[in-house]
Amino acid sequence: MQHRSKKIKKSFFIILVVLIVLSGGSAIYLGNYYHSVDVEKYMNGSSEVSVEKFDKGWFFDGAGEEKALIFYPGAKVEDLTYASLLKQLAVDGIDCYLVHMPGNLAFMGMNRADKIMETYSYDHWYLAGHSLGGAMAAVYADKNSEKLDGLIFLAAYSTKDLSDTDLKVLSIYGSNDGVVN
């Protein structure tokens, strides 16, 4: 009986150590991400675009009334890094929603487009994403293609076969990318 009690204590101790190591490793991994720089000028409203925080990200409200784009950031990239791009799109007439992802990982919030499309009304919705954000946008689009008009990949690719959908797809990448082939 005493031998069994020691075994249980030893097993519990090993499990506890493993959980502590995994928790610490996860915290270090998630805390090490690409931080945006000099984004304040893009986060301030202007005569052309107002910028508003909402519960899951940022809204860039330009002159557009009919089209909106929801943007999923890349893995371990701070969401505000994309503010300059989305503010320019809003100036050009496409309202943009920059989605904040838990832990800066899009797979942890890939259905966040649902809430946005339920809350706001546009005639045309587009979903875009960078890197892992693009891959998760494709997963979302595969299950929700009837809600979307198009999908945009920024240095990303689809992990789903979307050929049976009516989605328009645009893929943008650098010729010297070295990762996306």
Side-chain angles (χ1 to χ4, degrees), residues 33-100:
Y33 60 91
Y34 180 83
H35 295 270
S36 56
V37 291
D38 298 329
V39 297
E40 293 80 23
K41 61 186 170 189
Y42 304 111
M43 301 311 295
N44 296 322
S46 67
S47 60
E48 299 171 302
V49 177
S50 68
V51 181
E52 302 168 22
K53 179 113 175 83
F54 67 100
D55 64 335
K56 301 287 188 230
W58 296 91
F59 175 45
F60 295 82
D61 186 9
E65 301 271 332
E66 297 176 5
K67 294 182 270 186
L69 177 125
I70 300 169
F71 192 88
Y72 286 2
K76 296 181 68 176
V77 179
E78 184 179 15
D79 51 4
L80 296 180
T81 302
Y82 305 94
S84 64
L85 170 65
L86 299 183
K87 189 169 185 180
Q88 185 58 53
L89 287 172
V91 167
D92 293 339
I94 301 172
D95 289 346
C96 295
Y97 296 85
L98 175 57
V99 181
H100 173 74

Side-chain angles (χ1 to χ4, degrees), residues 84-124:
S84 64
L85 170 65
L86 299 183
K87 189 169 185 180
Q88 185 58 53
L89 287 172
V91 167
D92 293 339
I94 301 172
D95 289 346
C96 295
Y97 296 85
L98 175 57
V99 181
H100 173 74
M101 295 295 180
N104 295 310
L105 296 170
F107 66 82
M108 294 176 68
M110 89 172 109
N111 292 319
R112 290 202 164 172
D114 279 337
K115 178 83 172 181
I116 295 168
M117 288 191 280
E118 289 168 7
T119 305
Y120 303 95
S121 179
Y122 290 89
D123 295 333
H124 304 283

Side-chain angles (χ1 to χ4, degrees), residues 6 12 14 33 38 82 86 102 106 129 140 150 155 165 172 179-180:
K6 282 184 178 182
F12 177 75
I14 290 171
Y33 60 91
D38 298 329
Y82 305 94
L86 299 183
Y140 180 86
T165 71
I172 303 169
V179 177
V180 178

